[in-house]
Amino acid sequence: MTQSVLERPQTEQPQALTRSDLPLNLDAFGAELDAIRQGVLDDLGERDADYIHRIIKAQRTLEVGGRALLFFSIVPPAWLAGTVMLGLSKILDNMEIGHNVMHGQYDWMGEPALYGKHFEWDTACPADQWRHSHNYMHHTHTNIVGMDRDVGYGILRMSDKQPWEPYFLGNPLYAFLLMVLFQYGVAVHELEAERIRTGEIGLADKREMLRETWQKVRRQTLKDYVAFPLLAGPFAPLVFAGNLTANLMRNVWAYTIIFCGHFPTALRNSPSRRPRMSHAACGTTARFSGRRT
């Protein structure tokens, strides 16, 4: 039986196609992708709607309960429980709700609160910027060095396709800082730090992007580190510390999930030029598993 394009093991070396082969293979590949998409659409229903509603309810319960417990954080167990609950709520908001909703995963439900193009999340990155850097740049050019800015976030060297320079001697330090400050790393994703570092563009070229990012960062900072601590009165320092720790939990979790999911050992990266179509073109993404549809 002929092996599916999506079924071929990722250890195979790419085989460049001839011009005469290209249309036929593209049609077959497109048909397989269309079949996957149609299968998912046909399977959507009440189960999916119930799932996202349960997750949203759980997230809100954890956030409200966590913030309430932090107001009584003079009792150590209350501080610990409140911080963990708030951290879990931020993880759910970021990874399970925000990420999926902004992908348009629940647009079919017709609920304004779950409409991907209008959703805003509880993190420093403006949603509109994330929709461009992630939904378009990352998912259109997945792991193509020089086009997908998720490859190292413009800070790290993640592939041998990235030219080495002395700057990358700091990779371990940059990786640690990106992990603990991950919401801010995502917030400046559209800054294109690697192009600024090489002098290709300047900060003035990103003035509007920086203005939008500052507005969102300011709102998040005022909410977590000013408003809620002030509401706690004499317990303000403890609430501040709880919010800081909850954000750190979310940052480390998101960083770990994204870097482990995007850059496994067997993954291949493509160079910055648009890659030629090949049987193993899907090797640039970790999202394909070898199952026939």
Side-chain angles (χ1 to χ4, degrees):
M1 179 179 293
T2 303
Q3 198 175 30
S4 161
V5 171
L6 300 184
E7 199 174 27
R8 290 189 173 89
Q10 293 194 1
T11 54
E12 282 189 10
Q13 292 300 312
Q15 300 175 6
L17 306 180
T18 65
R19 184 175 296 277
S20 60
D21 289 335
L22 195 57
L24 178 61
N25 281 274
L26 280 178
D27 288 344
F29 181 63
E32 292 185 49
L33 294 180
D34 287 341
I36 293 173
R37 179 179 185 274
Q38 192 59 50
V40 171
L41 291 175
D42 291 343
D43 191 52
L44 291 175
E46 185 176 354
R47 177 186 59 185
D48 303 282
D50 289 344
Y51 172 78
I52 190 61
H53 287 148
R54 287 198 307 271
I55 292 296
I56 291 172
K57 182 178 180 180
Q59 185 273 325
R60 290 175 178 172
T61 299
L62 285 168
E63 181 173 9
V64 172
R67 292 195 183 280
L69 282 172
L70 284 175
F71 285 165
F72 299 96
S73 53
I74 192 173
V75 181
W79 183 89
L80 180 61
T83 298
V84 171
M85 290 174 68
L86 183 58
L88 290 174
S89 80
K90 286 177 175 288
I91 289 171
L92 287 177
D93 178 86
N94 191 213
M95 302 299 291
E96 195 65 18
I97 300 173
H99 174 276
N100 296 342
V101 169
M102 287 194 289
H103 262 303
Q105 189 169 318
Y106 296 99
D107 286 1
W108 62 274
M109 292 172 57
E111 296 186 16
L114 295 176
Y115 186 57
K117 291 184 178 180
H118 298 160
F119 189 86
E120 187 59 75
W121 55 353
D122 179 30
T123 190
C125 180
D128 282 340
Q129 291 184 18
W130 185 88
R131 278 184 279 264
H132 177 260
S133 64
H134 184 84
N135 288 1
Y136 175 67
M137 293 301 297
H138 170 61
H139 279 289
T140 302
H141 311 294
T142 305
N143 287 349
I144 299 176
V145 175
M147 299 179 75
D148 178 6
R149 290 197 293 276
D150 277 24
V151 181
Y153 279 69
I155 302 171
L156 305 173
R157 186 174 188 257
M158 300 295 299
S159 168
D160 58 7
K161 305 296 189 301
Q162 294 171 270
W164 189 88
E165 55 184 274
Y167 164 83
F168 290 120
L169 289 171
N171 241 27
L173 175 61
Y174 309 149
F176 175 77
L177 293 175
L178 181 60
M179 177 180 69
V180 297
L181 301 171
F182 193 59
Q183 69 165 326
Y184 303 109
V186 176
V188 296
H189 209 14
E190 288 282 84
L191 186 61
E192 301 182 273
E194 71 284 2
R195 296 179 67 199
I196 292 177
R197 193 174 69 248
T198 60
E200 186 178 347
I201 60 174
L203 284 175
D205 298 308
K206 293 291 182 176
R207 186 178 291 111
E208 181 62 22
M209 170 262 161
L210 288 170
R211 184 187 64 81
E212 294 173 355
T213 301
W214 167 243
Q215 290 177 345
K216 182 68 187 294
V217 169
R218 182 177 58 188
R219 287 200 302 271
Q220 292 297 117
T221 301
L222 289 173
K223 173 174 67 70
D224 278 343
Y225 302 130
V226 178
F228 279 108
L230 286 177
L231 287 173
F235 305 139
L238 292 171
V239 172
F240 180 97
N243 287 347
L244 184 67
T245 306
N247 279 321
L248 178 63
M249 284 177 58
R250 185 267 322 285
N251 289 347
V252 172
W253 177 269
Y255 174 93
T256 302
I257 293 297
I258 289 170
F259 274 73
C260 288
H262 286 55
F263 309 110
T265 302
L267 189 70
R268 287 191 302 275
N269 296 101
S270 294
S272 57
R273 57 182 172 79
R274 185 175 296 276
R276 294 179 65 187
M277 178 59 68
S278 68
H279 284 303
C282 291
T284 58
T285 176
R287 289 173 177 77
F288 287 97
S289 58
R291 186 166 66 90
R292 285 187 67 84
T293 57

